[in-house]
Amino acid sequence: MLGCGRPVILLLSINFLDLSFVSSSSSSSQNATHPLSHPSGGSDYYSEYEDITAEPPRSSSTYSELPDLNPCDYDMCVEQQHTCLELAETTRCLCPGLSNGFIPPSPPRLLNLTQQDGKGVVVHWCAPTSIVTHYNVFVRGNGKVKEKKEVEKRKRAAVLEDVEAGMHICVEAVNKGGVSAEDDQSCATFEPQNTDSGLVLKLGIIGGVVGLILLLILALLLWRHKSRQKFTMRTKTERVL
């Protein structure tokens, strides 16, 4: 009995080892193909992770495959209906490098000053490469600000009403980070245009008036001279008769 029982026990042991090896290999293969899920994220976390790592970013060909990313058709010196950021959102174009909206903007560039009738002056400027919420346009004389206007961010021109020769005109950009600094490109001294021609015009008008008066005086003298000649001729004729 004992001799027959040993082979049976040996066969049962071999079968048990085979079954345990198969079950362990199958469980390990399942763990390799299906990662453990986080208790909070579940299987979605890993699916998103696998999606991101399945196709790594190709930095060398990213811009070459996006032909729509062209520079925005945006002129910093011309009044625009939309800002460059708004154009970028709608047309997928590229804006020039803009500084953060919480960093004080760069100074705008004062383009020119155009004199109007009287003492009015139109101030033209170009926007800086910064995010701007609005502009301040002001004129300073004798160290004091005489007039100051707040202009919205899409504007590139403003009118100052009372500006005299020699006054200092400046444009400053403003955002949540602060105000731009004053420099040579954002400020200019107002010098009236065509000063010489205006003086010539005034002198011409004065000369014309003086000439007209002299002409009237000359005409009056000639008339008096002729009147005297006529009177002299009459008296001579009467004496002869």
Side-chain angles (χ1 to χ4, degrees):
M1 293 293 292
L2 293 173
C4 296
R6 287 179 178 177
V8 174
I9 293 171
L10 183 60
L11 289 173
L12 291 174
S13 300
I14 293 172
N15 291 332
F16 178 76
L17 290 173
D18 290 337
L19 291 174
S20 63
F21 177 77
V22 171
S23 62
S24 63
S25 62
S26 63
S27 63
S28 62
S29 64
Q30 289 177 357
N31 289 334
T33 56
H34 299 284
L36 295 175
S37 61
H38 282 273
S40 59
S43 60
D44 292 340
Y45 174 84
Y46 284 99
S47 64
E48 291 177 1
Y49 179 80
E50 290 169 0
D51 290 341
I52 293 174
T53 56
E55 294 182 3
R58 294 168 292 179
S59 59
S60 61
S61 61
T62 300
Y63 293 101
S64 62
E65 293 179 358
L66 295 174
D68 294 333
L69 294 181
N70 296 319
C72 295
D73 185 12
Y74 182 77
D75 191 337
M76 292 186 176
C77 302
V78 177
E79 293 186 348
Q80 298 285 341
Q81 185 176 1
H82 300 287
T83 64
C84 191
L85 291 178
E86 292 170 343
L87 290 175
E89 291 178 358
T90 56
T91 62
R92 290 177 57 96
C93 60
L94 291 175
C95 284
L98 298 176
S99 61
N100 192 300
F102 293 93
I103 298 176
S106 302
R109 181 166 62 90
L110 199 154
L111 194 59
N112 57 56
L113 304 174
T114 305
Q115 186 176 358
Q116 286 189 329
D117 296 337
K119 295 183 179 180
V121 174
V122 183
V123 186
H124 304 265
W125 67 88
C126 300
T129 55
S130 306
I131 294 178
V132 178
T133 57
H134 64 277
Y135 296 94
N136 291 328
V137 185
F138 60 91
V139 57
R140 185 189 295 120
N142 297 325
K144 297 180 180 179
V145 175
K146 300 292 185 179
E147 183 181 0
K148 185 174 183 178
K149 286 189 175 183
E150 182 176 314
V151 184
E152 64 107 1
K153 61 183 178 183
R154 292 181 177 86
K155 290 290 186 179
R156 299 291 181 271
V159 179
L160 297 175
E161 300 296 340
D162 191 10
V163 183
E164 297 179 356
M167 286 188 169
H168 208 53
I169 297 176
C170 293
V171 182
E172 57 186 14
V174 185
N175 63 11
K176 294 181 179 180
V179 181
S180 62
E182 293 185 18
D183 60 7
D184 294 338
Q185 72 171 8
S186 63
C187 297
T189 301
F190 174 64
E191 297 178 357
Q193 300 173 357
N194 300 326
T195 304
D196 295 337
S197 62
L199 179 61
V200 172
L201 179 61
K202 290 180 180 179
L203 292 176
I205 293 173
I206 294 173
V209 172
V210 172
L212 180 60
I213 293 173
L214 292 176
L215 183 61
L216 291 175
I217 293 173
L218 181 61
L220 179 61
L221 292 175
L222 289 174
W223 177 77
R224 291 184 63 182
H225 179 69
K226 289 182 178 181
S227 298
R228 286 181 179 179
Q229 284 182 346
K230 288 181 179 180
F231 179 76
T232 303
M233 290 295 294
R234 285 180 183 177
T235 53
K236 290 181 177 180
T237 305
E238 289 178 353
R239 286 178 182 179
V240 171
L241 293 175

